[in-house]
């Protein structure tokens, strides 16, 4: 339980409490406006508490993940090893059919490879 009392976690707890209180307050405010005759406020009356529920669900999920030792996963880069060979085969076939189209495709492939180097 001590790990949930670190400054980072205390900040998250405070943020969750402030967000929930704010969202419920906004919902109450919209309810008052709806009672005064603003029909559009009826939708917001139900929307703001749903936001508060979302904050609570995510807060609980973060606590459970920390408790269970779940590490956030970095997005995997899906590599296709045959991609370069397939591209070369397509370009070779197009060179036989239309040299101008093949030259244009080589140009696009070069631009694509240069854009990946900058990332």
């Amino acid at each position: 339980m001590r790990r949930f009392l670190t400054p980072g976690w205390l900040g998250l707890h405070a943020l969750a409490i402030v967000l929930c209180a704010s969202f419920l307050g906004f919902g109450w405010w919209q309810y008052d406006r709806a009672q005064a005759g603003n029909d559009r406020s009826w939708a917001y009356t139900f929307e703001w508490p749903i936001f508060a529920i979302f904050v609570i669900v995510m807060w609980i999920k973060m606590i459970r993940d920390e408790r269970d030792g779940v590490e956030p996963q970095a997005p995997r880069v899906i590599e296709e090893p045959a991609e370069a060979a397939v591209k070369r085969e397509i370009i070779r076939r197009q060179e036989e059919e239309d040299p101008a189209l093949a030259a244009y495709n080589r140009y696009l492939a070069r631009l694509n490879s240069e854009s990946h180097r900058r990332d």
Side-chain angles (χ1 to χ4, degrees):
M1 285 301 285
R2 284 189 176 174
R3 65 181 143 189
F4 298 119
L5 298 176
T6 62
W9 273 103
L10 288 175
L12 285 174
H13 299 324
L15 180 65
I17 291 168
V18 167
L19 284 175
C20 284
S22 299
F23 292 163
L24 291 174
F26 291 149
W28 187 257
W29 170 60
Q30 291 295 334
Y31 177 73
D32 287 341
R33 289 186 52 161
Q35 288 291 321
N38 186 348
D39 290 336
R40 185 178 295 168
S41 291
W42 282 113
Y44 296 124
T45 298
F46 299 103
E47 184 177 286
W48 284 110
I50 290 172
F51 290 157
I53 292 169
F54 177 76
V55 169
I56 293 169
V57 168
M58 292 308 296
W59 183 52
I60 290 170
K61 182 186 180 326
M62 289 172 56
I63 289 174
R64 285 183 179 173
D65 286 349
E66 179 71 21
R67 184 191 64 200
D68 297 339
V70 176
E71 294 293 324
Q73 295 180 355
R76 291 186 330 196
V77 176
I78 300 174
E79 297 181 19
E80 298 180 25
E83 183 177 348
V86 171
K87 284 181 183 178
R88 281 194 300 270
E89 179 61 26
I90 291 171
I91 291 172
R92 187 189 64 75
R93 287 182 187 172
Q94 289 175 348
E95 282 179 346
E96 294 171 359
E97 296 171 8
D98 187 1
L101 179 62
Y104 181 69
N105 284 336
R106 281 194 301 273
Y107 170 71
L108 291 178
R110 182 175 53 85
L111 288 177
N112 187 31
S113 67
E114 289 174 0
S115 70
H116 288 300
R117 279 190 229 141
R118 284 186 243 150
D119 295 340

